[in-house]
Amino acid sequence: AQSVTQPDIHITVSEGASLELRCNYSYGATPYLFWYVQSPGQGLQLLLKYFSGDTLVQGIKGFEAEFKRSQSSFNLRKPSVHWSDAAEYFCAVGEGSSGDKLTFGTGTRLAVRP
Amino acid sequence: NAGVMQNPRHLVRRRGQEARLRCSPMKGHSHVYWYRQLPEEGLKFMVYLQKENIIDESGMPKERFSAEFPKEGPSILRIQQVVRGDSAAYFCASSPKQTNSPLHFGNGTRLTVT
């Protein structure tokens, strides 16, 4: 069965600092990988996705993620964090022919210091 | 182009009552997914439906929970005889089911059982 591990429950960074959120997955085949962001009381917004091809994926709001098969990782990065980035971030792996049945990690809550 | 619409946003039920959660997918989307988010946890897959068909209900509890997506109208997640452990956020997502189309999530229904 597939699984997703987000080892960091909470992360606090200063505004303007760089950010990396870790995600490791377990899946037998080539994975479909996603990062979603959830603001308090809101639904999930897709930041970026990896299906195939270039292992460095660009997303919205200046985020990027790199798929590393050898490490079973799909870490999310942003070079300079803004206060509005404070939210909860979820990594997910998808199964099925179009990767639409998702298994989520438990999330990383990001706080941003002014 | 409206997104995935869920209602109500908040629902309070006493133990033993029934809860009905509604989801209207995005225009042009024929596939609906229900996920549950327990406090401090990631989202867990419950059920995947097409119009008039349940495709995958492997994540649904065996008792008290049911889902439908009729030919006309929204998808309904129904919880009978609710218990305190059913308190959670329930998210609906939709997809056009084309290859490489990610899920679009609604803002969720927050169910509180008193």
Side-chain angles (χ1 to χ4, degrees):
Chain A
Q2 59 199 31
S3 65
V4 177
T5 302
Q6 293 181 248
D8 304 304
I9 298 174
H10 295 278
I11 282 184
T12 301
V13 300
S14 297
E15 191 168 17
S18 63
L19 171 70
E20 183 168 25
L21 303 182
R22 295 183 290 166
C23 172
N24 292 95
Y25 68 90
S26 171
Y27 187 59
T30 300
Y32 296 100
L33 295 162
F34 306 83
W35 276 99
Y36 283 87
V37 60
Q38 185 182 32
S39 298
Q42 301 296 313
L44 278 75
Q45 181 182 22
L46 179 69
L47 285 176
L48 47 78
K49 61 185 186 291
Y50 171 78
F51 287 153
S52 64
D54 193 347
T55 56
L56 185 62
V57 180
Q58 301 298 319
I60 62 170
K61 304 184 180 186
F63 285 92
E64 66 177 26
E66 187 170 12
F67 169 57
K68 293 186 178 179
R69 185 187 299 276
S70 61
Q71 298 176 20
S72 297
S73 70
F74 189 57
N75 294 350
L76 182 72
R77 301 194 293 251
K78 186 168 185 178
S80 177
V81 170
H82 189 263
W83 64 266
S84 60
D85 293 324
E88 188 145 24
Y89 292 79
F90 291 95
C91 181
V93 60
E95 66 173 293
S97 59
S98 56
D100 51 1
K101 182 179 173 182
L102 302 180
T103 298
F104 284 86
T106 51
T108 297
R109 190 175 299 277
L110 174 67
V112 179
R113 277 193 297 259
Chain B
N1 188 14
V4 178
M5 304 300 292
Q6 289 189 250
N7 67 82
R9 288 295 306 274
H10 300 274
L11 181 61
V12 179
R13 286 287 178 266
R14 282 198 283 269
R15 278 180 298 170
Q17 291 185 318
E18 178 179 287
R20 278 181 181 248
L21 288 63
R22 293 174 185 78
C23 170
S24 296
M26 284 183 71
K27 188 176 181 181
H29 288 194
S30 56
H31 299 257
V32 164
Y33 307 76
W34 285 94
Y35 285 79
R36 176 165 64 174
Q37 185 179 31
L38 294 169
E40 307 301 320
E41 294 189 15
L43 279 75
K44 301 272 194 253
F45 169 80
M46 299 182 76
V47 62
Y48 160 39
L49 311 103
Q50 294 178 22
K51 289 279 188 183
E52 301 183 283
N53 274 315
I54 297 175
I55 307 302
D56 182 344
E57 57 181 347
S58 57
M60 287 279 269
K62 294 287 183 268
E63 298 177 347
R64 302 187 297 109
F65 284 71
S66 62
E68 62 175 7
F69 188 16
K71 187 176 181 181
E72 300 292 336
S75 175
I76 305 287
L77 179 67
R78 183 180 175 211
I79 311 172
Q80 296 177 291
Q81 299 174 317
V82 295
V83 301
R84 289 228 171 98
D86 297 332
S87 295
Y90 291 82
F91 289 94
C92 173
S94 72
S95 162
K97 198 62 175 185
Q98 297 158 1
T99 302
N100 296 348
S101 294
L103 301 187
H104 296 262
F105 282 84
N107 284 340
T109 293
R110 278 146 186 87
L111 172 65
T112 301
V113 179
T114 62

